[in-house]
Amino acid sequence: MEATITVLAGDGIGPEVTAEALKVLHQVSNRFGHRFATQPALIGGIAIDETGMPLPEATIAACRAGDAVLLGAVGGPKWDNPNAQVRPEQGLLAIRKALGLYANLRPVTIHPLLIDASPLRPERLEDVDLLVVRELTGGIYFGEKRREQRADGEWASDLCVYSEAEIARVVRTAANLARNRNGHLTLVDKANVLETSRLWRAVTNRIVQAEFADLEYDYMLVDAAAMHLLRRPADFDVIVTENMFGDILTDEAAMLAGSMGMLPSASLGEGTMGLYEPIHGSAPDIAGQGKANPLATILSLAMLLRHSLGLEQEAHAVEAAVAATIEAGIITGDIARPGRRAHKTSEVGDAVAARV
Ligand code: IPM
Ligand code: MG
């Protein structure tokens, strides 16, 4: 097949980890006889430096013209001034919104050889295979923000807004995914306090009852969910939740897999176009040192092949190559056992590509 992939490398370790994923993509095209074109475009801090904006129009146009987007990470201390009007993270939120990517899939699986890399006791990690479906284009991230001077000092607010339609579409995505997995859907909310959560609860209950009665369905308050993710993570299958809860819970869930460097994500909307990125950030402290773990980005590429290009066999080949690389002990320092050699970012990428 022919496909065009827009590559938004971004900042910090973003360029390093996307470079490794592109090596793997190249190998996939050789082995399976596809013609993949890649087109780089600017996002984040580097885009601010070069154009003054975190998401130039040209980048949106490039993404729209292609079949899928592979993204590294955005942000860094250089652009971190809290008073700045333009910030790298705005680029990331804006591209998700511009492409209508409201469902963010964040799967958490643990390779048996990496169980030791997690701070959790090994027996808790057996059989962990969960998927967080995070709503990505609504809620407190996108509501009106205000900051003003009042008589008693400064004042700020972030509005959290959800419509029934926004909730319904992501719940349907999650429920359909649950149907093809272990048939268990958990809604995470804060319905004992938040009105938006009460709407989430009502809409989800209604949709599940009417359209997904075959699923095992439950709901959980977000504070309890944070606890149960550590206490009995293997009991979860698909979690669906609002934007900010999903952001927080998936960093927590990453530690089940031992490292932020292991978790991929897919952001999807109505069509096949999607944006694929590791859940980790730009890690400026290790940028440029060859220490970054490229596996989250390589696994995001596998999700791209599966969800946007419909190449299940190829996606599986990449995932199997990642597993084989871990089994060969070719891993970066974040997941290597104490005393074992930490391999470089490029060594890991080469090893995965060679195994595809
Ligand atoms: C993520 C990140 C982003 C988010 C930041 C960088 C804006 O934490 O993708 O999880 O909060 O969505
Ligand atoms: Mg996050």
Side-chain angles (χ1 to χ4, degrees):
M1 83 177 302
E2 286 187 28
T4 302
I5 295 161
T6 311
V7 181
L8 310 180
D11 310 315
I13 60 171
E16 295 164 60
V17 292
T18 46
E20 301 312 315
L22 292 180
K23 282 182 191 166
V24 175
L25 179 70
H26 188 72
Q27 182 54 26
V28 170
S29 68
N30 286 343
R31 158 136 185 241
F32 293 90
H34 299 304
R35 301 237 311 263
F36 298 130
T38 54
Q39 47 175 3
L42 294 170
I43 194 167
I46 185 168
I48 295 176
D49 288 353
E50 293 195 15
T51 72
M53 291 187 306
L55 183 66
E57 278 299 325
T59 296
I60 304 178
C63 291
R64 288 209 172 111
D67 298 293
V69 182
L70 184 70
L71 187 142
V74 300
K78 182 175 177 192
W79 308 280
D80 252 355
N81 175 0
N83 297 318
Q85 289 300 307
V86 286
R87 302 174 55 86
E89 292 78 8
Q90 293 164 341
L92 184 54
L93 301 189
I95 191 67
R96 292 169 176 170
K97 190 82 167 176
L99 300 175
L101 307 173
Y102 58 80
N104 182 217
L105 282 47
R106 296 185 163 191
V108 182
T109 54
I110 305 168
H111 191 286
L113 285 180
L114 298 183
I115 280 197
D116 282 352
S118 171
L120 254 73
R121 284 214 294 275
E123 64 270 22
R124 302 233 160 137
L125 297 170
E126 269 164 35
D127 302 323
V128 168
D129 178 11
L130 64 92
L131 171 68
V132 178
V133 179
R134 168 190 177 193
E135 200 289 327
L136 203 59
T137 54
I140 198 166
Y141 273 59
F142 290 91
E144 187 199 3
K145 298 183 190 313
R146 288 173 63 179
R147 187 86 173 251
E148 46 190 76
Q149 223 19 275
R150 292 192 172 176
D152 58 347
E154 245 193 319
W155 184 93
S157 76
D158 295 278
L159 198 61
C160 183
V161 183
Y162 270 111
S163 72
E164 179 177 350
E166 282 175 314
I167 299 166
R169 63 187 182 179
V170 72
V171 165
R172 287 197 176 96
T173 301
N176 278 313
L177 289 161
R179 209 170 244 171
N180 292 309
R181 291 173 46 99
N182 291 317
H184 179 189
L185 179 68
T186 304
L187 166 67
V188 169
D189 63 32
K190 188 73 185 174
N192 54 347
V193 176
L194 301 177
E195 202 54 46
T196 41
S197 280
R198 287 191 273 273
L199 183 62
W200 269 84
R201 184 79 66 93
V203 171
T204 309
N205 285 353
R206 195 159 64 228
I207 289 178
V208 171
Q209 213 172 34
E211 302 167 33
F212 298 93
D214 52 309
L215 295 183
E216 183 191 339
Y217 166 62
D218 46 29
Y219 40 76
M220 205 179 268
L221 298 173
V222 63
D223 46 354
M227 187 262 292
H228 287 302
L229 265 176
L230 303 184
R231 202 168 78 97
R232 46 183 190 90
D235 288 356
F236 291 100
D237 179 19
V238 176
I239 292 173
V240 64
T241 191
E242 66 147 80
N243 204 342
M244 188 157 77
F245 297 160
D247 177 46
I248 297 169
L249 291 178
T250 50
D251 269 28
E252 185 190 2
M255 292 320 292
L256 302 173
S259 168
M260 294 280 291
M262 291 304 296
L263 257 57
S265 88
S267 302
L268 309 173
E270 293 303 342
T272 57
M273 154 68 79
L275 180 149
Y276 301 82
E277 56 172 320
I279 81 151
H280 63 67
S282 59
D285 52 319
I286 59 163
Q289 300 172 31
K291 289 184 180 169
N293 184 348
L295 294 181
T297 312
I298 293 171
L299 291 168
S300 300
L301 173 70
M303 295 185 86
L304 182 158
L305 295 168
R306 173 175 294 124
H307 293 283
S308 281
L309 307 184
L311 300 174
E312 177 59 40
Q313 202 193 344
E314 289 81 344
H316 190 80
V318 171
E319 288 161 349
V322 167
T325 300
I326 293 170
E327 278 144 33
I330 305 172
I331 51 182
T332 42
D334 54 326
I335 51 175
R337 293 214 178 149
R340 288 293 187 87
R341 177 157 98 82
H343 287 74
K344 286 185 162 312
T345 309
S346 60
E347 290 178 299
V348 175
D350 288 341
V352 176
R355 286 165 176 75
V356 164

